[in-house]
Each structure stands twice: as C-alpha cells, then as structure tokens.
Amino acid sequence: MAKKVPFYRITHDDSGTEADFSISSEPVQNESLPHRHDHYMICFVEAGKTVHLLDFEEHVLEAPALLFVTPGQIHSVAQAGNAKVTAIAFNASFPPAMDLNELEHLFQTAVIHLSMEEIKGILPYLD
C-alpha cells in the first residue's frame, strides 16, 4: 500500500493558526521525511551546506544559495549538514503586486547560487 505524502500549511505559531506569510531563520537541524506544501517557499542558505530533495531530485545547497519550492512539490531535507537557512513561505495571494504567471516564472529554477555581492543585496530584507 502506497503511503500518502503529508501536506503542510503555513502557520503563524504553535497554535496552528493559518497565515499568508511566514519567515523563520534557524540552523537546519534534522533530516525530514518527504512532504508537500500548499504554499510557495524560498529557502536562503546563509551559511554552511545542506542537501535537499525536490521532487526526488537531489540539490546540494552550499551558502550562499536560494532554493525555490512551489506548492505541491515533494520536498525533504536529505542531509541537514551545518546550514543556517532562512525560509520564507507565502501563499499565491500574498504578494499582491505579482500575478500568478510572474510568480510561476520566478520559481522555474529550483536553485540559484549567489555571489557575495548578491548576498549584500538580500541580507537587509531578511533582517
């Protein structure tokens, strides 16, 4: 019998209240089982190295890098490594100035490796 892949929603806090947007920054601590999200997610690898699976394709993420996950994609952390990651999660309706086609276009590339100059442009937004 095939197992169902869990679907996760964005929550505000431990109470389970649903949200349109969330941001968290922490070291990647544990490997995870495959799961899906009902939202978009951008993972910014600020430091270290980690390995993620996206639709069962392995992506080695060494800082600085971005990982883009679309709703419904199967995602898991294959190796936590020593990475510090800021995860930005949001529903399609959250960025009101962006239409769905623009959003899908932005997420066509799964991983982007960044230069030190590009990091300097992103960090103020994460703070």
Side-chain angles (χ1 to χ4, degrees), residues 1 7-8 10 25 27 39 42 46-47 51 61-62 64 75 83 90 111 113 119:
M1 178 195 288
F7 237 100
Y8 296 127
I10 304 174
S25 183
H39 51 273
I42 302 172
E46 296 178 56
V51 179
L61 303 166
E62 192 163 355
H75 174 250
F90 57 91
V111 176
H113 296 278
I119 294 172

Side-chain angles (χ1 to χ4, degrees), residues 47-118:
K49 181 179 175 180
T50 183
V51 179
H52 287 236
L53 296 176
L54 191 56
D55 288 336
F56 303 105
E57 183 179 326
E58 185 176 281
H59 296 279
V60 177
L61 303 166
E62 192 163 355
L66 296 171
L67 174 70
F68 295 91
V69 183
T70 60
Q73 283 189 298
I74 297 174
H75 174 250
S76 65
V77 178
Q79 295 175 18
N82 60 347
K84 179 182 179 196
V85 176
T86 296
I88 303 166
F90 57 91
N91 291 325
S93 61
F94 179 74
M98 186 176 280
D99 75 21
L100 193 55
N101 289 332
E102 289 173 334
L103 196 56
E104 290 295 329
H105 180 71
L106 176 65
F107 277 74
Q108 282 183 345
T109 302
V111 176
I112 296 176
H113 296 278
L114 303 171
S115 68
M116 292 308 289
E117 195 62 35
E118 290 167 319

